Amino acid sequence: MPTYVNPDKCDGCRGLARTACMYICPNDLMKYDADLGKVFSKEHGMAFNQEPDLCWECFSCVKACPTGAIVMRGYADVVPLGATLTPLRATDSIMWTAKYRDGQTKRFKFPIRTTPWGSINPFKDFPEPSPADLKKETLYGEPKWLMVDQLPTLKK
Amino acid sequence: MVQPEIETVETDVLVLGGGMAGCGAAYEAAYWAKTKGLKVAIVEKAAIERSGAVAMGLSAINLYLGMRWNQNKPEDFVHYVRQDLMGLSREDLVYDIARHVDSSVHLFEEWGLPIFKNADGTYKREGRWQIMIHGESYKPIVAEAAKTAVGDGNVYERIFAARLLLDAKDPSKIAGAVGFSVRENKIYVFKAKAVIVTAGGATGVFRPHSHGEGLGRIWYAPWNTGSAYSMMIQAGAKMTQMEHRLVVARFKDGYGPVGMWFLLFKAVLKNAKGELVEQKWADLLKEWEPYGSGKPIPTPLRNHQMMADFRAGGAPFYLMTDEAMQRMFQEAGNDPKKIREIEADAWEDFLDMTMSQALIWASDNIDPAKAPTEVVLTEPYLMGSHASGTGAWVSGPEDIAPKEYFWGYNRMTTIKGLFAAGDGVGGSAHKFSSGSHVEGRLAGKAAVAYILDNGATPTVDEGQIQAIKAELWKPFENYEKGKSGSTKDDINPNYLFPKMALHRLQKIMDEYAGGQGSQYITTEHMLQKGLDRLKVFKEDLQKQAARDLHDLLRCWEVWDRTWCAEAHMRHMLFRPETRWPGYYYRADYPTLDDKNWKVFVNSRYDASKGEWQLEKVPFLTNVS
Ligand SMILES: Cc1cc2nc3c(=O)[nH]c(=O)nc-3n(C[C@H](O)[C@H](O)[C@H](O)COP(=O)(O)OP(=O)(O)OC[C@H]3O[C@@H](n4cnc5c(N)ncnc54)[C@H](O)[C@@H]3O)c2cc1C
Ligand code: SF4
Ligand code: SF4
C-alpha cells in the first residue's frame, strides 16, 4: 500500500529547512529530486517514493507533509482501488477519515499527546546520581517511578 | 566512484539503533553518565522520531504489571512466559524486566503519552499484561526524552551501523563501531568504551505472504533487517535461541494485530464451517505436555491448532469481529453514544498501529461490526521482544541470576563492554515496547558502571578501518566495473542488485528452512541443502552492486539478513526436536523432548576460522 506524491500539491518543502518526507521515512524511501518539478512545469523540486514495494504504509511521511501531498494507495497486487485513508495530525490529536470504495465515510479523532511538544525535562526533580547508586539494581528515579516502596527481588 | 570521507567520533557510551530499547539505553546512560561527565552518543539509520517497530505508533503497551495497584508480581509474569514459550526462557532476565517495567510506563505517561483510564484511576487493561494507549505519538514522545537526555550534538541520524570494532590490543573487549551515512559519502568510525546494540529484530529473512508492490507490507517493520544479530555474530558474541522464531496469527493482507480483538473484545476464531478452532482441536494439545494443558494456551500451540485445521480443510479462518461488536453493542443497551465509542476503539486499534488494515476494510467495503475479517499465520520473523527469543546471550542481574548466568554487568554480552537490549537480547521473550525500553535502560546503566570500573581508552587498528571501508564500498566498485557488460542496468552478468539478492534469500529460506510456503516444515536434509545454497549465495553476495547510497544501504541489509538466516538454520539443525510446533516443525523429530532438550542452544561464530560452534547450555532458574 505504497505512498505516492500528488504533483499538484508538493512544493518540495521549499520554505522549510529540510524535506519533511525524506527526513522522516524510516525506510529511506521518500526522495527529493530537484529536477522533478520541471516535468510538471514547476520551478521547485519534488519528492517521490523511490522503492514503493518496501513501503510499510506507516503514514509517517503522510502525517509529516506540510502540504498534504502524500497519499496512500492500496497495493495494486491485492487491494481493490478507490478507497482512501487520510490523517490530519494536530499537536494534541489526530483525525482520520476513511472513505470506502462504495463511498461511505467514517471519521475518528484520537488524542496523541497530553503535554506540549518539546516540554520533556528528562530527569526532573531528581538529584545528580551518586556513584554508590550505580552499584544498585535500581534505575533512575526508582523506586519512586515504580510507585511501590522498593524494587522487588528474589530470595536466592 | 567517489571515495568516502572518514569521520571519527569519540564517545564513552555508544548506542546503535534508536528504537524503543535504544531510546531507553540512551536516556538511562545519559543520567548515570552525569556523575563523571561521560559522553553518550546514539546512532540511528533513520530519524529517531519515527524509527523502528513503533514508527507508526501502537494502541497498547503489552507489558505493564501494575505493581502499585497490586495487580501482578514479577513472579506471575515469569510463570506466564514459562507457559507461553514451552518452558524455555532466561527467567532471570524475564523477572528483571518485569520488576522494572512499570517505571518506564509511568515515565511515558509523565512525558505526555495518553493512557486509557478506568473510573477509579487505574489503567484500562486489554488483558492481564496489556494496557490501552492513544499511541499515535508513542515513538516521537519516547524519542524526545532520549534525544533531550543525550543532547543534540550526540544524536547521529541516517547512519547505518555496519560493523562492531574489537580492541586492537585486547580483542575480548569492544572498541566501537563503523557505520556509513545514507545521505553523504561518509564513513563514521565511532570509538567507544562501551557499546549497546539495540538495532532491532530481523524481517524479510523469509518470503512473506505479501508480494509484488505489497512486499513491504509485512507485520514486523521491514527496516528491522537483522543488523543487531549480524553485527554481534560477526564480532564473535555468543548468541542464544537463534532457532526460536516468531509466527503469529494476523488479519490477512494488512497484517493487523489481533490482540485487542481476542483479549478485550473477546472475539473468537472460526473456520470456514463456523467451527471454533480452539475447541475443535483441544485434544491436540495433549501431545505437548506439560505445556499443552497449561493456561493460557501457548502462542505456538494456538498456531499449531490453526495449521491442523488448515490441513483438515478448515480454511479460510475468520476473526468474528461482527459477533463481538454486536454483542458489545447489546451489552451497552444499543446506546448510540456507546456504540460510537466501541466503534472508535475498534478502529483506533488499527489507526494507531497498522493503518493499512483500516484501509483494507475501506477498500473491501468491510464494516467490522457487520462482517468478520480473514486471519492467517504470518511468515517467520526473528525477534527477541515478542513471543520468541532470538538474540545475544547476556549476563543477568547480580541479585537474581544463577551464578552461571552472571558475569559482572547486567545485559553484557560475552564480549567485554558490549551490551544488548530489546530484540537484540535472546531468551527473554514478551518484553514488547515497554520491556524493550526498560531493558535498554538496564543496559545503559550497566554500561556506565562498566566504564567506571574498566574505562581504558579503546585502541582501534587503522588498517582494520581501511579494510572495512574498502569492503563497505565494494558494491559501488562492482557496479562501476560491471556496468558496461549489458545494455540494461538490472540484467547484467557481472553483478546482482540487492532487490534480487533479497528475493533469492527469501526463496531459499522459504523452501528449505520452514517458511510459510513449506507449511513451516523442515528437516535435517532440507536444512543441509539450504545451508549449501546459502554458501553459494554468499559468494554471489560479494558481487552485489550499488548505484547510490540507497542501494548501498540495501546491499548491507541483505548481508545482515543472510547472517541471521545462517544462524537460524544452524540452530534449527542443532535442536533435534519440535519444541515450538506452530512456529516450525522438524519433521524428522516431530515431538517435544523435554528430557534431553529443555536447554538453550547457544552459538558462536569464530571469524578467524570462519567456523560456527554450537552448544547446549543448561536451563537454570531461581524463580520457583
Ligand atoms: C505492528 C506491530 C504491533 C506491535 N504491537 C505492540 C503492542 O501493542 N504493544 C507493545 O508493547 N509492543 C508492540 N509491538 C512490539 C514492539 O514494537 C517491539 O517489541 C519493540 O519496538 C522492540 O524494541 P527494539 O528497540 O528492540 O526494536 P525497534 O523499536 O524496532 O528499534 C530498532 C531500531 O534500530 C534501528 N536500526 C536497525 N538497524 C540499524 C543499523 N544497522 N544501524 C542503525 N540503526 C539501525 C531501527 O531503525 C530502529 O530504530 C508491536 C510491533 C509491531 C511491528
Ligand atoms: S508510509 Fe512510511 S515507509 Fe512508506 S514512504 Fe511513507 S514514511 Fe516511508
Ligand atoms: S513533505 Fe510533502 S511537500 Fe515536502 S517534499 Fe515531501 S511531498 Fe513534497
Side-chain angles (χ1 to χ4, degrees):
Chain A
M1 199 158 306
T3 55
Y4 68 90
V5 175
N6 179 344
D8 293 335
K9 289 192 177 171
C10 172
D11 70 357
C13 283
R14 58 183 157 174
L16 302 177
R18 62 189 182 204
T19 315
C21 55
M22 187 165 172
Y23 171 75
I24 209 69
C25 175
N27 215 10
D28 193 35
L29 302 183
M30 297 308 295
K31 188 171 179 180
Y32 175 79
D33 181 341
D35 296 327
L36 191 56
K38 289 185 193 141
V39 182
F40 301 95
S41 316
K42 300 270 165 71
E43 276 163 22
H44 50 77
M46 286 188 182
F48 67 102
N49 184 336
Q50 63 176 320
E51 209 183 358
D53 62 353
L54 282 183
C55 176
W56 202 33
E57 304 131 30
C58 74
F59 281 75
S60 299
C61 57
V62 182
K63 293 170 187 170
C65 174
T67 64
I70 309 180
V71 188
M72 200 67 72
R73 189 267 280 116
Y75 47 102
D77 51 291
V78 184
V79 182
L81 294 172
T84 55
L85 182 64
T86 314
L88 200 63
R89 186 171 178 266
T91 52
D92 63 346
S93 63
I94 189 163
M95 176 132 81
W96 288 95
T97 307
K99 192 172 131 304
Y100 275 62
R101 180 177 159 92
D102 65 12
Q104 73 167 300
T105 46
K106 288 185 187 280
R107 189 162 285 155
F108 302 97
K109 190 177 168 192
F110 309 115
I112 61 172
R113 186 161 179 175
T114 60
T115 56
W117 288 95
S119 67
I120 296 175
N121 177 354
F123 307 116
K124 200 176 86 190
D125 300 339
F126 276 84
E128 295 278 306
S130 82
D133 289 341
L134 198 51
K135 296 283 172 195
K136 294 184 189 149
E137 295 293 340
T138 39
L139 292 172
Y140 151 75
E142 288 181 347
K144 184 202 153 205
W145 280 116
L146 281 171
M147 302 187 184
V148 291
D149 296 339
Q150 62 188 38
L151 180 73
T153 185
L154 284 179
K155 286 187 210 78
K156 271 208 258 188
Chain B
M1 189 184 65
V2 189
Q3 284 301 314
E5 181 193 325
I6 295 192
E7 179 162 336
T8 304
V9 176
E10 293 190 12
T11 180
D12 295 293
V13 180
L14 177 67
V15 180
L16 300 176
M20 288 307 289
C23 285
Y27 172 78
E28 187 76 18
Y31 177 70
W32 297 99
K34 283 208 265 181
T35 47
K36 296 282 174 194
L38 301 180
K39 197 169 144 186
V40 180
I42 181 165
V43 173
E44 165 58 50
K45 75 174 185 183
I48 298 180
E49 188 182 329
R50 291 277 182 196
S51 71
V54 187
M56 58 184 162
L58 293 180
S59 62
I61 287 178
N62 280 354
L63 178 56
Y64 176 74
L65 263 66
M67 292 194 293
R68 66 164 145 162
W69 297 305
N70 284 320
Q71 291 176 331
N72 292 289
K73 293 193 293 295
E75 286 87 342
D76 302 330
F77 183 65
V78 174
H79 297 153
Y80 162 68
V81 174
R82 186 183 287 168
Q83 164 65 14
D84 194 61
L85 294 176
M86 324 253 331
L88 260 187
S89 292
R90 276 284 302 275
E91 298 189 349
D92 56 324
L93 304 180
V94 175
Y95 182 98
D96 199 27
I97 284 171
R99 67 173 168 170
H100 288 286
V101 73
D102 287 7
S103 83
S104 273
V105 175
H106 298 150
L107 283 170
F108 299 157
E109 188 179 22
E110 164 80 10
W111 294 338
L113 179 70
I115 301 182
F116 283 69
K117 298 273 178 62
N118 297 312
D120 63 359
T122 55
Y123 295 158
K124 184 168 174 188
R125 283 205 174 273
E126 191 176 288
R128 180 165 182 188
W129 309 107
Q130 300 80 357
I131 56 172
M132 294 171 69
I133 57 174
H134 295 290
E136 189 278 336
S137 288
Y138 190 5
K139 186 66 206 296
I141 291 170
V142 169
E144 184 185 312
K147 291 204 285 189
T148 314
V150 299
D152 260 359
N154 297 314
V155 177
Y156 295 85
E157 294 185 326
R158 294 289 169 198
I159 292 166
F160 180 79
R163 292 281 181 286
L164 293 171
L165 290 172
L166 298 178
D167 194 278
K169 289 197 197 125
D170 176 3
S172 69
K173 259 173 56 181
I174 198 74
V178 179
F180 62 86
S181 164
V182 198
R183 292 282 181 265
E184 46 185 351
N185 272 319
K186 211 174 194 183
I187 283 182
Y188 280 83
V189 177
F190 296 95
K191 296 185 181 172
K193 293 174 185 161
V195 176
I196 308 173
V197 178
T198 46
T203 62
V205 175
F206 284 83
R207 176 161 55 199
H209 283 284
S210 45
H211 69 157
E213 199 179 75
L215 187 67
R217 172 89 294 276
I218 50 180
W219 169 69
Y220 210 49
W223 39 81
N224 283 354
T225 60
S227 302
Y229 308 138
S230 159
M231 283 191 283
M232 292 193 285
I233 290 170
Q234 292 177 75
K238 256 188 199 165
M239 306 299 289
T240 193
Q241 290 204 317
M242 291 304 291
E243 73 280 21
H244 191 196
R245 62 169 66 177
L246 179 71
V247 172
V248 272
R250 288 291 176 262
F251 284 94
K252 188 168 179 295
D253 301 330
Y255 289 80
V258 297
M260 188 211 69
W261 289 95
F262 276 128
L263 296 168
L264 185 75
F265 279 30
K266 310 272 183 258
V268 293
L269 184 75
K270 286 187 180 169
N271 66 14
K273 300 168 198 161
E275 298 163 324
L276 289 166
V277 178
E278 193 182 310
Q279 252 176 32
K280 182 176 171 190
W281 297 95
D283 277 354
L284 207 59
L285 302 180
K286 292 184 187 143
E287 293 163 19
W288 304 93
E289 298 297 14
Y291 316 105
S293 51
K295 285 281 173 253
I297 302 175
T299 308
L301 287 180
R302 273 187 277 131
N303 292 353
H304 179 57
Q305 291 177 316
M306 256 178 97
M307 290 175 190
D309 202 44
F310 181 87
R311 283 190 292 272
F317 301 102
Y318 294 95
L319 196 66
M320 308 310 285
T321 57
D322 49 342
E323 291 178 6
M325 287 179 78
Q326 292 302 331
R327 190 200 64 242
M328 290 171 79
F329 293 166
Q330 262 175 24
E331 283 165 6
N334 285 314
D335 170 1
K337 191 166 159 268
K338 295 218 172 96
I339 287 183
R340 179 84 193 131
E341 279 168 20
I342 294 165
E343 212 193 357
D345 282 354
W347 280 77
E348 182 172 4
D349 188 43
F350 291 147
L351 293 175
D352 278 352
M353 69 174 173
T354 308
M355 295 70 113
S356 331
Q357 193 63 53
L359 184 49
I360 286 182
W361 275 344
S363 303
D364 283 340
N365 290 331
I366 290 178
D367 181 342
K370 295 185 185 140
T373 303
E374 233 186 290
V375 168
V376 293
L377 292 168
T378 64
E379 55 282 351
Y381 305 106
L382 303 183
M383 50 191 295
S385 71
H386 208 276
S388 57
T390 48
W393 180 249
V394 297
S395 172
E398 187 167 13
D399 64 332
I400 306 289
K403 64 179 186 319
E404 294 82 349
Y405 295 170
F406 176 73
W407 47 94
Y409 301 91
N410 203 355
R411 266 63 179 187
M412 190 166 83
T413 67
T414 52
I415 294 173
K416 287 182 216 145
L418 178 66
F419 295 77
D423 278 330
V425 166
S428 69
H430 284 291
K431 45 198 151 189
F432 297 100
S433 61
S434 47
S436 296
H437 187 266
V438 96
E439 187 170 52
R441 293 177 60 199
L442 292 166
K445 180 178 177 183
V448 173
Y450 167 86
I451 291 176
L452 294 184
D453 292 347
N454 313 271
T457 308
T459 35
V460 171
D461 174 25
E462 273 313 309
Q464 192 195 358
I465 302 296
Q466 289 305 323
I468 294 175
K469 171 182 146 182
E471 193 193 348
L472 292 179
W473 246 242
K474 180 99 183 308
F476 283 133
E477 196 184 311
N478 290 344
Y479 179 66
E480 287 305 322
K481 281 194 185 150
K483 69 180 179 190
S484 61
S486 157
T487 53
K488 185 149 170 46
D489 229 13
D490 50 11
I491 164 84
N492 185 308
N494 303 316
Y495 60 69
L496 190 65
F497 278 137
K499 183 57 69 60
M500 287 309 128
L502 178 67
H503 284 307
R504 191 160 144 198
L505 173 69
Q506 293 184 343
K507 184 170 159 70
I508 294 173
M509 294 305 286
D510 188 49
E511 293 176 349
Y512 298 103
Q516 47 92 12
S518 310
Q519 295 199 30
Y520 311 93
I521 293 166
T522 189
T523 62
E524 180 182 340
H525 296 297
M526 290 168 84
L527 288 166
Q528 292 288 12
K529 183 81 187 171
L531 283 166
D532 288 348
R533 294 214 161 213
L534 206 69
K535 186 162 172 281
V536 180
F537 175 61
K538 280 163 69 183
E539 289 168 18
D540 286 1
L541 277 187
Q542 307 284 355
K543 296 186 182 164
Q544 273 194 112
R547 290 156 296 196
D548 55 20
L549 288 166
H550 179 75
D551 279 350
L552 191 71
L553 170 70
R554 294 288 183 255
C555 288
W556 291 107
E557 288 176 345
V558 172
W559 263 114
D560 285 345
R561 289 177 160 123
T562 304
W563 280 100
C564 297
E566 180 163 2
H568 187 50
M569 284 203 273
R570 290 188 184 278
H571 273 245
M572 286 197 291
L573 193 57
F574 193 79
R575 183 181 280 286
E577 66 160 351
T578 296
R579 174 146 300 257
W580 305 280
Y583 283 1
Y584 74 89
Y585 300 87
R586 276 289 304 262
D588 42 358
Y589 297 96
T591 55
L592 182 80
D593 180 4
D594 246 2
K595 189 158 153 272
N596 299 303
W597 285 94
K598 195 181 170 185
V599 292
F600 296 103
V601 171
N602 285 7
S603 67
R604 185 176 176 275
Y605 176 74
D606 182 343
S608 65
K609 302 198 191 102
E611 281 171 11
W612 292 77
Q613 293 130 10
L614 282 96
E615 59 176 345
K616 272 175 148 181
V617 177
F619 164 82
L620 305 167
T621 183
N622 289 322
V623 186
S624 48

